[in-house]
Amino acid sequence: MRGVDTDRRLEILNQELKHVRKGLGVHQVGLPASAGPVLRELAGVRADDAPGAVRDKLVAAVRGLVERLPQGRRALARVVFGLDNPTNAGYTTRLAEFGRAADRDVRTIQRRADEVVYLVAELACAAAAREGGDPGVPWHTKRLQVRLVLRGAEVEVFETRRIVSHQRGLTDVRHAISVGRLGLAGGSVDLAALGIDEISGGEVRSPAMVSADRVAFTLRPPHPLEPGDEHDFFFRVRTGEIAPFYCCTPEFDCERFTLNIRFEPKRRPSGVWRIDGEFSKEVADPTPVRQPLRIDDTGEVRADFTNLRPARSYGIGWAPTSWASTES
């Protein structure tokens, strides 16, 4: 199956995992024979493995992927795949029980179960791509440190990003941020008023609006990077008052992200919470139960994240009520 393109491979694996979750999940009797070819390959199953060895490898592979999910998704994923199933309940029964405990209706839990399966498939394909040196990934982030300072209607974002090159002669690192508009429906960001200043590590080039609230630009290092080379960029973004959350939503893998937010003494929010690997469209949704964070005596709050997955959002949200989006 290695000749199958990445998107098709992800689609196949997603369907194979949906088959695995049926009935007793990973403990269903027919699992060794019925597991699909992509899942068997990713689990390291060999043609001469005995059925018991096949089951052990498949269960270990699924369990390992589930443990890499954001904390808020793991409990549901274990239920979906039957990893936690002391009563040997079937799939729909497991979801119904989970929904009652979480005070959510069945349709909501079913939708989130589908999202969890897709996320597990995405994690598996991303890991395989890294091991095989996916040529479509030019670089990844080793460390991202962001300091967000809120001063009334002005916001400053200080970002230090260490990248690792995957390509020969890498000269352009494409970057984008989404700046929340705080209810300015139908409006757009004023690019001229948005300050993007390089401080060290290279140049900021060609900033351009790619949507109503998304700005893309290129970071160019002082010299071309070779595979394995590491390089730090440090730049500042200045903008107007933003919506009440800040997230990193990486395009490529990010090993570590540290976010520090400083609030004004007279404008401290009434609540602060951790956003951990959520779909970007759900970041502004107040429904999910999230881990609360504490603001210290100086008005600062901090969160650390490791092994961020592409296209998922990680960061900090806070009260009050206006909701838009700011992503790095």
PDB file of all heavy atoms in Angstrom, residues 35-70:
ATOM      1  N   ALA A  35      -8.646  -6.932   9.879  1.00  0.00           N
ATOM      2  CA  ALA A  35      -7.945  -5.639   9.843  1.00  0.00           C
ATOM      3  C   ALA A  35      -7.463  -5.346   8.432  1.00  0.00           C
ATOM      4  O   ALA A  35      -6.948  -6.229   7.734  1.00  0.00           O
ATOM      5  CB  ALA A  35      -6.780  -5.647  10.818  1.00  0.00           C
ATOM      6  N   GLY A  36      -7.613  -4.094   8.010  1.00  0.00           N
ATOM      7  CA  GLY A  36      -7.253  -3.706   6.651  1.00  0.00           C
ATOM      8  C   GLY A  36      -5.760  -3.640   6.404  1.00  0.00           C
ATOM      9  O   GLY A  36      -4.949  -3.618   7.354  1.00  0.00           O
ATOM     10  N   PRO A  37      -5.358  -3.581   5.145  1.00  0.00           N
ATOM     11  CA  PRO A  37      -3.933  -3.632   4.796  1.00  0.00           C
ATOM     12  C   PRO A  37      -3.116  -2.437   5.268  1.00  0.00           C
ATOM     13  O   PRO A  37      -1.949  -2.587   5.631  1.00  0.00           O
ATOM     14  CB  PRO A  37      -3.948  -3.714   3.263  1.00  0.00           C
ATOM     15  CG  PRO A  37      -5.288  -3.162   2.856  1.00  0.00           C
ATOM     16  CD  PRO A  37      -6.217  -3.556   3.946  1.00  0.00           C
ATOM     17  N   VAL A  38      -3.704  -1.227   5.269  1.00  0.00           N
ATOM     18  CA  VAL A  38      -2.944  -0.058   5.712  1.00  0.00           C
ATOM     19  C   VAL A  38      -2.673  -0.148   7.214  1.00  0.00           C
ATOM     20  O   VAL A  38      -1.547   0.067   7.671  1.00  0.00           O
ATOM     21  CB  VAL A  38      -3.687   1.250   5.378  1.00  0.00           C
ATOM     22  CG1 VAL A  38      -2.930   2.452   5.943  1.00  0.00           C
ATOM     23  CG2 VAL A  38      -3.845   1.400   3.875  1.00  0.00           C
ATOM     24  N   LEU A  39      -3.701  -0.513   7.993  1.00  0.00           N
ATOM     25  CA  LEU A  39      -3.518  -0.642   9.427  1.00  0.00           C
ATOM     26  C   LEU A  39      -2.524  -1.746   9.756  1.00  0.00           C
ATOM     27  O   LEU A  39      -1.664  -1.586  10.637  1.00  0.00           O
ATOM     28  CB  LEU A  39      -4.857  -0.919  10.106  1.00  0.00           C
ATOM     29  CG  LEU A  39      -4.816  -1.103  11.634  1.00  0.00           C
ATOM     30  CD1 LEU A  39      -4.239   0.137  12.300  1.00  0.00           C
ATOM     31  CD2 LEU A  39      -6.216  -1.400  12.170  1.00  0.00           C
ATOM     32  N   ARG A  40      -2.592  -2.865   9.044  1.00  0.00           N
ATOM     33  CA  ARG A  40      -1.660  -3.966   9.290  1.00  0.00           C
ATOM     34  C   ARG A  40      -0.224  -3.532   8.993  1.00  0.00           C
ATOM     35  O   ARG A  40       0.714  -3.854   9.729  1.00  0.00           O
ATOM     36  CB  ARG A  40      -2.040  -5.178   8.436  1.00  0.00           C
ATOM     37  CG  ARG A  40      -3.365  -5.827   8.826  1.00  0.00           C
ATOM     38  CD  ARG A  40      -3.817  -6.843   7.797  1.00  0.00           C
ATOM     39  NE  ARG A  40      -2.991  -8.039   7.825  1.00  0.00           N
ATOM     40  CZ  ARG A  40      -3.257  -9.112   8.561  1.00  0.00           C
ATOM     41  NH1 ARG A  40      -4.330  -9.147   9.350  1.00  0.00           N
ATOM     42  NH2 ARG A  40      -2.468 -10.169   8.515  1.00  0.00           N
ATOM     43  N   GLU A  41      -0.060  -2.780   7.923  1.00  0.00           N
ATOM     44  CA  GLU A  41       1.281  -2.294   7.570  1.00  0.00           C
ATOM     45  C   GLU A  41       1.815  -1.347   8.630  1.00  0.00           C
ATOM     46  O   GLU A  41       2.971  -1.458   9.066  1.00  0.00           O
ATOM     47  CB  GLU A  41       1.229  -1.606   6.214  1.00  0.00           C
ATOM     48  CG  GLU A  41       2.555  -0.996   5.761  1.00  0.00           C
ATOM     49  CD  GLU A  41       2.385  -0.155   4.515  1.00  0.00           C
ATOM     50  OE1 GLU A  41       1.859  -0.682   3.507  1.00  0.00           O
ATOM     51  OE2 GLU A  41       2.761   1.031   4.552  1.00  0.00           O
ATOM     52  N   LEU A  42       0.981  -0.410   9.072  1.00  0.00           N
ATOM     53  CA  LEU A  42       1.409   0.562  10.068  1.00  0.00           C
ATOM     54  C   LEU A  42       1.712  -0.099  11.409  1.00  0.00           C
ATOM     55  O   LEU A  42       2.554   0.393  12.173  1.00  0.00           O
ATOM     56  CB  LEU A  42       0.336   1.632  10.244  1.00  0.00           C
ATOM     57  CG  LEU A  42       0.119   2.562   9.048  1.00  0.00           C
ATOM     58  CD1 LEU A  42      -1.105   3.444   9.268  1.00  0.00           C
ATOM     59  CD2 LEU A  42       1.343   3.435   8.803  1.00  0.00           C
ATOM     60  N   ALA A  43       1.032  -1.202  11.704  1.00  0.00           N
ATOM     61  CA  ALA A  43       1.250  -1.918  12.954  1.00  0.00           C
ATOM     62  C   ALA A  43       2.442  -2.873  12.884  1.00  0.00           C
ATOM     63  O   ALA A  43       2.792  -3.478  13.895  1.00  0.00           O
ATOM     64  CB  ALA A  43      -0.010  -2.692  13.341  1.00  0.00           C
ATOM     65  N   GLY A  44       3.036  -3.002  11.703  1.00  0.00           N
ATOM     66  CA  GLY A  44       4.194  -3.884  11.563  1.00  0.00           C
ATOM     67  C   GLY A  44       3.837  -5.355  11.479  1.00  0.00           C
ATOM     68  O   GLY A  44       4.665  -6.222  11.795  1.00  0.00           O
ATOM     69  N   VAL A  45       2.614  -5.666  11.029  1.00  0.00           N
ATOM     70  CA  VAL A  45       2.186  -7.058  10.901  1.00  0.00           C
ATOM     71  C   VAL A  45       2.893  -7.705   9.718  1.00  0.00           C
ATOM     72  O   VAL A  45       2.954  -7.140   8.625  1.00  0.00           O
ATOM     73  CB  VAL A  45       0.656  -7.141  10.718  1.00  0.00           C
ATOM     74  CG1 VAL A  45       0.227  -8.577  10.413  1.00  0.00           C
ATOM     75  CG2 VAL A  45      -0.057  -6.623  11.962  1.00  0.00           C
ATOM     76  N   ARG A  46       3.417  -8.909   9.933  1.00  0.00           N
ATOM     77  CA  ARG A  46       4.084  -9.665   8.871  1.00  0.00           C
ATOM     78  C   ARG A  46       3.193 -10.803   8.400  1.00  0.00           C
ATOM     79  O   ARG A  46       2.310 -11.258   9.130  1.00  0.00           O
ATOM     80  CB  ARG A  46       5.414 -10.231   9.376  1.00  0.00           C
ATOM     81  CG  ARG A  46       6.399  -9.157   9.819  1.00  0.00           C
ATOM     82  CD  ARG A  46       7.730  -9.759  10.229  1.00  0.00           C
ATOM     83  NE  ARG A  46       7.557 -10.797  11.246  1.00  0.00           N
ATOM     84  CZ  ARG A  46       8.576 -11.422  11.828  1.00  0.00           C
ATOM     85  NH1 ARG A  46       9.823 -11.132  11.487  1.00  0.00           N
ATOM     86  NH2 ARG A  46       8.340 -12.351  12.758  1.00  0.00           N
ATOM     87  N   ALA A  47       3.464 -11.259   7.195  1.00  0.00           N
ATOM     88  CA  ALA A  47       2.624 -12.301   6.599  1.00  0.00           C
ATOM     89  C   ALA A  47       2.655 -13.590   7.400  1.00  0.00           C
ATOM     90  O   ALA A  47       1.671 -14.357   7.405  1.00  0.00           O
ATOM     91  CB  ALA A  47       3.067 -12.560   5.162  1.00  0.00           C
ATOM     92  N   ASP A  48       3.762 -13.887   8.081  1.00  0.00           N
ATOM     93  CA  ASP A  48       3.889 -15.150   8.807  1.00  0.00           C
ATOM     94  C   ASP A  48       3.535 -15.024  10.296  1.00  0.00           C
ATOM     95  O   ASP A  48       3.742 -15.956  11.072  1.00  0.00           O
ATOM     96  CB  ASP A  48       5.301 -15.711   8.674  1.00  0.00           C
ATOM     97  CG  ASP A  48       6.379 -14.752   9.177  1.00  0.00           C
ATOM     98  OD1 ASP A  48       6.045 -13.579   9.449  1.00  0.00           O
ATOM     99  OD2 ASP A  48       7.547 -15.180   9.289  1.00  0.00           O
ATOM    100  N   ASP A  49       2.996 -13.876  10.721  1.00  0.00           N
ATOM    101  CA  ASP A  49       2.606 -13.707  12.120  1.00  0.00           C
ATOM    102  C   ASP A  49       1.388 -14.570  12.443  1.00  0.00           C
ATOM    103  O   ASP A  49       0.434 -14.656  11.656  1.00  0.00           O
ATOM    104  CB  ASP A  49       2.257 -12.245  12.417  1.00  0.00           C
ATOM    105  CG  ASP A  49       3.490 -11.374  12.608  1.00  0.00           C
ATOM    106  OD1 ASP A  49       4.562 -11.932  12.901  1.00  0.00           O
ATOM    107  OD2 ASP A  49       3.370 -10.146  12.466  1.00  0.00           O
ATOM    108  N   ALA A  50       1.408 -15.171  13.625  1.00  0.00           N
ATOM    109  CA  ALA A  50       0.255 -15.930  14.097  1.00  0.00           C
ATOM    110  C   ALA A  50      -0.871 -14.962  14.462  1.00  0.00           C
ATOM    111  O   ALA A  50      -0.618 -13.787  14.748  1.00  0.00           O
ATOM    112  CB  ALA A  50       0.651 -16.761  15.319  1.00  0.00           C
ATOM    113  N   PRO A  51      -2.125 -15.426  14.449  1.00  0.00           N
ATOM    114  CA  PRO A  51      -3.250 -14.537  14.775  1.00  0.00           C
ATOM    115  C   PRO A  51      -3.076 -13.803  16.097  1.00  0.00           C
ATOM    116  O   PRO A  51      -3.415 -12.623  16.210  1.00  0.00           O
ATOM    117  CB  PRO A  51      -4.449 -15.489  14.809  1.00  0.00           C
ATOM    118  CG  PRO A  51      -4.075 -16.586  13.866  1.00  0.00           C
ATOM    119  CD  PRO A  51      -2.598 -16.766  14.031  1.00  0.00           C
ATOM    120  N   GLY A  52      -2.571 -14.471  17.105  1.00  0.00           N
ATOM    121  CA  GLY A  52      -2.363 -13.804  18.398  1.00  0.00           C
ATOM    122  C   GLY A  52      -1.364 -12.673  18.304  1.00  0.00           C
ATOM    123  O   GLY A  52      -1.553 -11.614  18.915  1.00  0.00           O
ATOM    124  N   ALA A  53      -0.299 -12.889  17.525  1.00  0.00           N
ATOM    125  CA  ALA A  53       0.712 -11.840  17.350  1.00  0.00           C
ATOM    126  C   ALA A  53       0.140 -10.674  16.557  1.00  0.00           C
ATOM    127  O   ALA A  53       0.446  -9.506  16.837  1.00  0.00           O
ATOM    128  CB  ALA A  53       1.939 -12.406  16.648  1.00  0.00           C
ATOM    129  N   VAL A  54      -0.714 -10.983  15.570  1.00  0.00           N
ATOM    130  CA  VAL A  54      -1.353  -9.926  14.781  1.00  0.00           C
ATOM    131  C   VAL A  54      -2.222  -9.063  15.689  1.00  0.00           C
ATOM    132  O   VAL A  54      -2.172  -7.831  15.643  1.00  0.00           O
ATOM    133  CB  VAL A  54      -2.198 -10.529  13.644  1.00  0.00           C
ATOM    134  CG1 VAL A  54      -2.997  -9.438  12.940  1.00  0.00           C
ATOM    135  CG2 VAL A  54      -1.314 -11.255  12.649  1.00  0.00           C
ATOM    136  N   ARG A  55      -3.021  -9.714  16.534  1.00  0.00           N
ATOM    137  CA  ARG A  55      -3.885  -8.965  17.440  1.00  0.00           C
ATOM    138  C   ARG A  55      -3.054  -8.074  18.362  1.00  0.00           C
ATOM    139  O   ARG A  55      -3.369  -6.893  18.556  1.00  0.00           O
ATOM    140  CB  ARG A  55      -4.752  -9.901  18.271  1.00  0.00           C
ATOM    141  CG  ARG A  55      -5.665  -9.154  19.260  1.00  0.00           C
ATOM    142  CD  ARG A  55      -6.440 -10.116  20.147  1.00  0.00           C
ATOM    143  NE  ARG A  55      -7.324 -10.954  19.366  1.00  0.00           N
ATOM    144  CZ  ARG A  55      -8.523 -10.584  18.943  1.00  0.00           C
ATOM    145  NH1 ARG A  55      -8.957  -9.354  19.228  1.00  0.00           N
ATOM    146  NH2 ARG A  55      -9.279 -11.391  18.249  1.00  0.00           N
ATOM    147  N   ASP A  56      -1.997  -8.631  18.933  1.00  0.00           N
ATOM    148  CA  ASP A  56      -1.162  -7.865  19.852  1.00  0.00           C
ATOM    149  C   ASP A  56      -0.593  -6.619  19.172  1.00  0.00           C
ATOM    150  O   ASP A  56      -0.574  -5.527  19.754  1.00  0.00           O
ATOM    151  CB  ASP A  56      -0.020  -8.719  20.387  1.00  0.00           C
ATOM    152  CG  ASP A  56      -0.499  -9.777  21.381  1.00  0.00           C
ATOM    153  OD1 ASP A  56      -1.632  -9.652  21.865  1.00  0.00           O
ATOM    154  OD2 ASP A  56       0.275 -10.720  21.654  1.00  0.00           O
ATOM    155  N   LYS A  57      -0.123  -6.772  17.939  1.00  0.00           N
ATOM    156  CA  LYS A  57       0.451  -5.638  17.214  1.00  0.00           C
ATOM    157  C   LYS A  57      -0.610  -4.586  16.885  1.00  0.00           C
ATOM    158  O   LYS A  57      -0.353  -3.378  17.003  1.00  0.00           O
ATOM    159  CB  LYS A  57       1.135  -6.122  15.933  1.00  0.00           C
ATOM    160  CG  LYS A  57       2.427  -6.903  16.172  1.00  0.00           C
ATOM    161  CD  LYS A  57       3.077  -7.315  14.869  1.00  0.00           C
ATOM    162  CE  LYS A  57       4.399  -8.023  15.115  1.00  0.00           C
ATOM    163  NZ  LYS A  57       5.072  -8.429  13.847  1.00  0.00           N
ATOM    164  N   LEU A  58      -1.788  -5.047  16.474  1.00  0.00           N
ATOM    165  CA  LEU A  58      -2.846  -4.105  16.123  1.00  0.00           C
ATOM    166  C   LEU A  58      -3.323  -3.338  17.351  1.00  0.00           C
ATOM    167  O   LEU A  58      -3.494  -2.115  17.303  1.00  0.00           O
ATOM    168  CB  LEU A  58      -4.018  -4.858  15.483  1.00  0.00           C
ATOM    169  CG  LEU A  58      -3.757  -5.478  14.101  1.00  0.00           C
ATOM    170  CD1 LEU A  58      -4.919  -6.380  13.712  1.00  0.00           C
ATOM    171  CD2 LEU A  58      -3.539  -4.401  13.050  1.00  0.00           C
ATOM    172  N   VAL A  59      -3.539  -4.048  18.462  1.00  0.00           N
ATOM    173  CA  VAL A  59      -3.994  -3.380  19.682  1.00  0.00           C
ATOM    174  C   VAL A  59      -2.934  -2.394  20.166  1.00  0.00           C
ATOM    175  O   VAL A  59      -3.247  -1.264  20.567  1.00  0.00           O
ATOM    176  CB  VAL A  59      -4.320  -4.407  20.782  1.00  0.00           C
ATOM    177  CG1 VAL A  59      -4.617  -3.705  22.101  1.00  0.00           C
ATOM    178  CG2 VAL A  59      -5.505  -5.269  20.367  1.00  0.00           C
ATOM    179  N   ALA A  60      -1.656  -2.796  20.122  1.00  0.00           N
ATOM    180  CA  ALA A  60      -0.584  -1.906  20.560  1.00  0.00           C
ATOM    181  C   ALA A  60      -0.508  -0.663  19.679  1.00  0.00           C
ATOM    182  O   ALA A  60      -0.283   0.455  20.179  1.00  0.00           O
ATOM    183  CB  ALA A  60       0.754  -2.648  20.532  1.00  0.00           C
ATOM    184  N   ALA A  61      -0.708  -0.829  18.366  1.00  0.00           N
ATOM    185  CA  ALA A  61      -0.646   0.312  17.454  1.00  0.00           C
ATOM    186  C   ALA A  61      -1.781   1.288  17.733  1.00  0.00           C
ATOM    187  O   ALA A  61      -1.573   2.513  17.814  1.00  0.00           O
ATOM    188  CB  ALA A  61      -0.709  -0.174  16.010  1.00  0.00           C
ATOM    189  N   VAL A  62      -3.009   0.771  17.895  1.00  0.00           N
ATOM    190  CA  VAL A  62      -4.149   1.645  18.162  1.00  0.00           C
ATOM    191  C   VAL A  62      -3.993   2.321  19.518  1.00  0.00           C
ATOM    192  O   VAL A  62      -4.214   3.531  19.661  1.00  0.00           O
ATOM    193  CB  VAL A  62      -5.469   0.849  18.100  1.00  0.00           C
ATOM    194  CG1 VAL A  62      -6.650   1.711  18.548  1.00  0.00           C
ATOM    195  CG2 VAL A  62      -5.716   0.334  16.683  1.00  0.00           C
ATOM    196  N   ARG A  63      -3.580   1.568  20.529  1.00  0.00           N
ATOM    197  CA  ARG A  63      -3.414   2.139  21.861  1.00  0.00           C
ATOM    198  C   ARG A  63      -2.350   3.239  21.845  1.00  0.00           C
ATOM    199  O   ARG A  63      -2.522   4.299  22.456  1.00  0.00           O
ATOM    200  CB  ARG A  63      -3.015   1.052  22.858  1.00  0.00           C
ATOM    201  CG  ARG A  63      -3.012   1.530  24.312  1.00  0.00           C
ATOM    202  CD  ARG A  63      -2.541   0.426  25.244  1.00  0.00           C
ATOM    203  NE  ARG A  63      -3.382  -0.753  25.180  1.00  0.00           N
ATOM    204  CZ  ARG A  63      -4.520  -0.899  25.849  1.00  0.00           C
ATOM    205  NH1 ARG A  63      -4.954   0.090  26.623  1.00  0.00           N
ATOM    206  NH2 ARG A  63      -5.221  -2.018  25.743  1.00  0.00           N
ATOM    207  N   GLY A  64      -1.245   2.995  21.148  1.00  0.00           N
ATOM    208  CA  GLY A  64      -0.186   3.999  21.076  1.00  0.00           C
ATOM    209  C   GLY A  64      -0.647   5.284  20.415  1.00  0.00           C
ATOM    210  O   GLY A  64      -0.300   6.384  20.860  1.00  0.00           O
ATOM    211  N   LEU A  65      -1.447   5.168  19.355  1.00  0.00           N
ATOM    212  CA  LEU A  65      -1.969   6.357  18.678  1.00  0.00           C
ATOM    213  C   LEU A  65      -2.960   7.105  19.564  1.00  0.00           C
ATOM    214  O   LEU A  65      -2.948   8.337  19.619  1.00  0.00           O
ATOM    215  CB  LEU A  65      -2.633   5.955  17.359  1.00  0.00           C
ATOM    216  CG  LEU A  65      -1.672   5.485  16.257  1.00  0.00           C
ATOM    217  CD1 LEU A  65      -2.445   4.792  15.143  1.00  0.00           C
ATOM    218  CD2 LEU A  65      -0.878   6.661  15.701  1.00  0.00           C
ATOM    219  N   VAL A  66      -3.812   6.369  20.266  1.00  0.00           N
ATOM    220  CA  VAL A  66      -4.786   7.000  21.157  1.00  0.00           C
ATOM    221  C   VAL A  66      -4.080   7.795  22.246  1.00  0.00           C
ATOM    222  O   VAL A  66      -4.506   8.909  22.603  1.00  0.00           O
ATOM    223  CB  VAL A  66      -5.721   5.932  21.764  1.00  0.00           C
ATOM    224  CG1 VAL A  66      -6.520   6.504  22.937  1.00  0.00           C
ATOM    225  CG2 VAL A  66      -6.675   5.391  20.699  1.00  0.00           C
ATOM    226  N   GLU A  67      -2.986   7.260  22.783  1.00  0.00           N
ATOM    227  CA  GLU A  67      -2.269   7.953  23.847  1.00  0.00           C
ATOM    228  C   GLU A  67      -1.581   9.218  23.362  1.00  0.00           C
ATOM    229  O   GLU A  67      -1.186  10.057  24.161  1.00  0.00           O
ATOM    230  CB  GLU A  67      -1.251   7.013  24.490  1.00  0.00           C
ATOM    231  CG  GLU A  67      -1.882   5.905  25.311  1.00  0.00           C
ATOM    232  CD  GLU A  67      -2.856   6.444  26.353  1.00  0.00           C
ATOM    233  OE1 GLU A  67      -2.468   7.355  27.116  1.00  0.00           O
ATOM    234  OE2 GLU A  67      -4.020   5.971  26.398  1.00  0.00           O
ATOM    235  N   ARG A  68      -1.431   9.368  22.056  1.00  0.00           N
ATOM    236  CA  ARG A  68      -0.829  10.576  21.502  1.00  0.00           C
ATOM    237  C   ARG A  68      -1.867  11.651  21.185  1.00  0.00           C
ATOM    238  O   ARG A  68      -1.513  12.762  20.813  1.00  0.00           O
ATOM    239  CB  ARG A  68      -0.045  10.239  20.225  1.00  0.00           C
ATOM    240  CG  ARG A  68       1.196   9.404  20.476  1.00  0.00           C
ATOM    241  CD  ARG A  68       1.839   9.002  19.173  1.00  0.00           C
ATOM    242  NE  ARG A  68       2.177  10.157  18.362  1.00  0.00           N
ATOM    243  CZ  ARG A  68       2.467  10.098  17.059  1.00  0.00           C
ATOM    244  NH1 ARG A  68       2.442   8.935  16.425  1.00  0.00           N
ATOM    245  NH2 ARG A  68       2.770  11.194  16.388  1.00  0.00           N
ATOM    246  N   LEU A  69      -3.136  11.315  21.350  1.00  0.00           N
ATOM    247  CA  LEU A  69      -4.191  12.299  21.122  1.00  0.00           C
ATOM    248  C   LEU A  69      -4.155  13.380  22.199  1.00  0.00           C
ATOM    249  O   LEU A  69      -3.634  13.156  23.297  1.00  0.00           O
ATOM    250  CB  LEU A  69      -5.558  11.616  21.148  1.00  0.00           C
ATOM    251  CG  LEU A  69      -5.941  10.738  19.968  1.00  0.00           C
ATOM    252  CD1 LEU A  69      -7.216   9.981  20.290  1.00  0.00           C
ATOM    253  CD2 LEU A  69      -6.107  11.551  18.705  1.00  0.00           C
ATOM    254  N   PRO A  70      -4.705  14.569  21.897  1.00  0.00           N
ATOM    255  CA  PRO A  70      -4.865  15.578  22.948  1.00  0.00           C
ATOM    256  C   PRO A  70      -5.637  14.995  24.114  1.00  0.00           C
ATOM    257  O   PRO A  70      -6.505  14.130  23.941  1.00  0.00           O
ATOM    258  CB  PRO A  70      -5.652  16.688  22.248  1.00  0.00           C
ATOM    259  CG  PRO A  70      -5.384  16.496  20.790  1.00  0.00           C
ATOM    260  CD  PRO A  70      -5.216  15.020  20.588  1.00  0.00           C
TER     261      PRO A  70
END
